[in-house]
Amino acid sequence: PLIFGHRGSPSLVTENTFCSFEKAIEQKVDGIELDVRLTKDRKIIIFHDSNLDRLAGINKKIQNLTYKQIRAIRLEQGQTIPLLDDLVQLFNKIKAINIEIKSDGIFLGHGIIKPLIEFLDRYNIDDKCIISSFNPLILLKIKLRRPKTIIGYLYNRNMLFHPWNNLVWICRIRPENLHIHHSLLGSWIVRWARKKKMRINSYTINDKNIFKKAKIDG
């Protein structure tokens, strides 16, 4: 399986920062996984949370700040929040990139679709890039507007009747990859996805015993 640096190498360098991704590449990962959000002035930045509190100790939301304001913020270890464009120089050093779109509700966060499609068109990385999200509506819109985009459907356990709800969305979106927590790798939906020729990428596996037992693609 492909080994991804989830948010870079966060146990050594602050997650989702340029230096963290550099460290993951030094550790010989096959690919990197990163989270993207949109700033107030429609810049795509790499950051997991909707709020700066956990990593910067600032109680402000990303969506209410411009990139100029965000650029001045220092995270743990003095790291800064990068733009998605900042990572392009690293892409030729890895086999795969998993860009996860963060969204705070099924009808929220759709503003990132247009600038993200423009990014994909500009850099021509379709042979190694997966676009993933827990928001199925965002994934559907991307697939409809840009059919050649490789999609990773993030399985959502927080839905009511989640196996069937996820199945309906998967059938509608037709993603190439199912991204699912390792605790659910024994579920019927994984077996079904394999029959449909989907790749199975699992998170977050930090235990060697779980890794050895998992029959996965990434």
Side-chain angles (χ1 to χ4, degrees):
L2 292 173
I3 307 300
F4 286 83
H6 190 180
R7 307 184 201 175
S9 186
S11 62
L12 299 178
V13 185
T14 306
E15 66 179 56
N16 275 325
T17 60
F18 187 90
C19 292
S20 193
F21 295 117
E22 276 192 317
K23 175 58 70 174
I25 292 169
E26 284 178 23
Q27 293 175 291
K28 308 299 184 184
V29 296
D30 299 302
I32 55 174
E33 184 270 354
L34 54 99
D35 305 291
V36 293
R37 289 184 177 274
L38 202 64
T39 65
K40 185 178 180 180
D41 53 345
R42 299 181 61 77
K43 302 291 186 183
I44 302 177
I45 62 164
I46 302 172
F47 201 73
H48 180 276
D49 302 353
S50 62
N51 192 293
L52 288 161
D53 187 51
R54 179 171 65 92
L55 291 182
I58 300 170
N59 187 23
K60 291 184 178 180
K61 287 185 173 292
I62 294 293
Q63 65 183 15
N64 296 332
L65 300 172
T66 65
Y67 177 63
K68 183 178 180 180
Q69 292 172 306
I70 288 170
R71 187 174 56 190
I73 293 167
R74 291 295 177 267
L75 307 177
E76 297 170 350
Q77 302 176 321
Q79 300 293 329
T80 56
I81 299 171
L83 289 166
L84 180 57
D85 288 87
D86 294 338
L87 257 65
V88 171
Q89 60 188 290
L90 300 178
F91 288 173
N92 63 353
K93 299 179 181 180
I94 49 178
K95 297 177 183 177
I97 309 135
N98 175 17
I99 299 175
E100 181 184 340
I101 301 170
K102 303 307 292 185
S103 170
D104 302 318
I106 193 165
F107 299 111
L108 301 175
H110 293 221
I112 202 169
I113 294 172
K114 185 175 184 292
L116 182 58
I117 287 176
E118 291 171 353
F119 172 87
L120 296 173
D121 289 340
R122 185 161 63 248
Y123 292 110
N124 192 29
I125 54 173
D126 293 296
D127 61 332
K128 61 170 63 179
C129 183
I130 303 169
I131 302 298
S132 63
S133 184
F134 280 106
N135 188 325
L137 198 52
I138 285 179
L139 294 179
L140 179 60
K141 286 184 175 182
I142 291 174
K143 197 69 171 177
L144 290 172
R145 296 182 192 182
R146 196 174 187 275
K148 66 180 178 179
T149 306
I150 297 172
I151 297 296
Y153 180 93
L154 269 160
Y155 186 97
N156 189 347
R157 289 183 289 182
N158 296 324
M159 292 180 175
L160 191 64
F161 306 116
H162 62 84
W164 301 106
N165 269 313
N166 282 284
L167 180 64
V168 169
W169 278 112
I170 290 171
C171 289
R172 182 67 185 91
I173 299 168
R174 296 180 181 271
E176 292 79 9
N177 302 268
L178 174 63
H179 292 186
I180 192 164
H181 191 268
H182 66 80
S183 63
L184 293 172
L185 285 174
S187 64
W188 64 265
I189 202 160
V190 172
R191 295 191 294 273
W192 175 85
R194 284 211 175 279
K195 290 180 180 179
K196 297 297 182 182
K197 309 300 182 183
M198 293 170 62
R199 291 174 60 86
I200 309 298
N201 299 320
S202 186
Y203 66 93
T204 301
I205 300 179
N206 294 326
D207 185 291
K208 288 183 179 179
N209 291 324
I210 293 175
F211 175 76
K212 288 176 183 177
K213 294 176 183 177
K215 298 178 180 179
I216 52 177
D217 298 295

